[in-house]
Amino acid sequence: MNDFIIAPSILSADFARLGEEVDNVLKAGADIIHFDVMDNHYVPNLTIGPMVCKALRKHGVTAEIDVHLMVKPVDRMIGDFIEAGASIITFHPEASEHIDRSLQMIKAGGCKAGLVFNPATPLDYLKYVLDKVDMVLLMSVNPGFGGQSFIPGTLDKLREARALIDASGYDIRLEVDGGVSEKNIAEIARAGADTFVAGSAIFGKDDYKAVIDTMRKELASVR
Ligand SMILES: O=C(CO)[C@@H](O)[C@H](O)COP(=O)(O)O
Ligand SMILES: [Fe+2]
């Protein structure tokens, strides 16, 4: 696994050719696949569920699948995604009645677990579960749609999250999601992120490899 992880969001892929799109973006140098699950309840949009995750595994995808649950309630979906072949499952703390239990369910199923913080959600929950999370995901847009602009205040929040993670001594990835592109990825990495979700910036272009190569070049200038 690279020090910096690039996680294309398939939300912006061509769903009619999803297997091929995932193969192409992995061939182009992506590290993992970001899989956005929206329920038209927690967020005002509806996307894909465990059956599609399972279909990608059946298609032959072996890369990690990073499932971002934007659903409420959370717990019923956890078992389904474990069974469907998810590698990482993250959820929004406001959407779970019992955050600690949801994290434990994910870990018990052999997946990595993470919490997702919306732009205006404070990081407070995190300090009580640092021993149970493998990933902290900061939303840099309000969840529900691809193609939105990066909210600049996320940079300070990333610095805050990075300090918390480093002080904890645990091995926790810090992921950022929303409006990430080759233009701002270096600045985002300097603020402390190590895992970068990008949907429209990659799938919105014809040459996925060219975008990912440029992102890696930008990241190389950071460390
Ligand atoms: O979770 C979400 C949106 O809610 C994301 O994963 C988006 O899919 C990112 O899309 P871009 O902002 O990179 O286009
Ligand atoms: Fe996402």
Side-chain angles (χ1 to χ4, degrees), residues 16 48-49 67 90 101 105 107 130 132 166 195 209 215:
I48 46 179
V67 174
T90 63
R101 179 189 291 150
M105 284 171 70
K107 306 282 280 186
L130 279 163
K132 295 191 183 75
D166 288 351
T195 303
K209 187 172 180 331
M215 286 180 166

Side-chain angles (χ1 to χ4, degrees), residues 9 11 34 36 38 68 70 139 143-147 177-179 197-200:
S9 161
L11 186 63
H34 185 80
D36 286 307
M38 302 182 185
H68 174 191
M70 287 162 272
M139 292 307 298
F145 303 94
D177 185 4
V197 176
S200 50

Side-chain angles (χ1 to χ4, degrees), residues 52-81:
V52 177
C53 183
K54 200 176 212 163
L56 288 176
R57 288 301 187 209
K58 192 164 172 232
H59 175 75
V61 174
T62 56
E64 285 199 320
I65 298 182
D66 171 28
V67 174
H68 174 191
L69 291 181
M70 287 162 272
V71 303
K72 185 178 176 159
V74 173
D75 290 359
R76 225 178 55 74
M77 282 292 107
I78 291 174
D80 291 356
F81 270 103

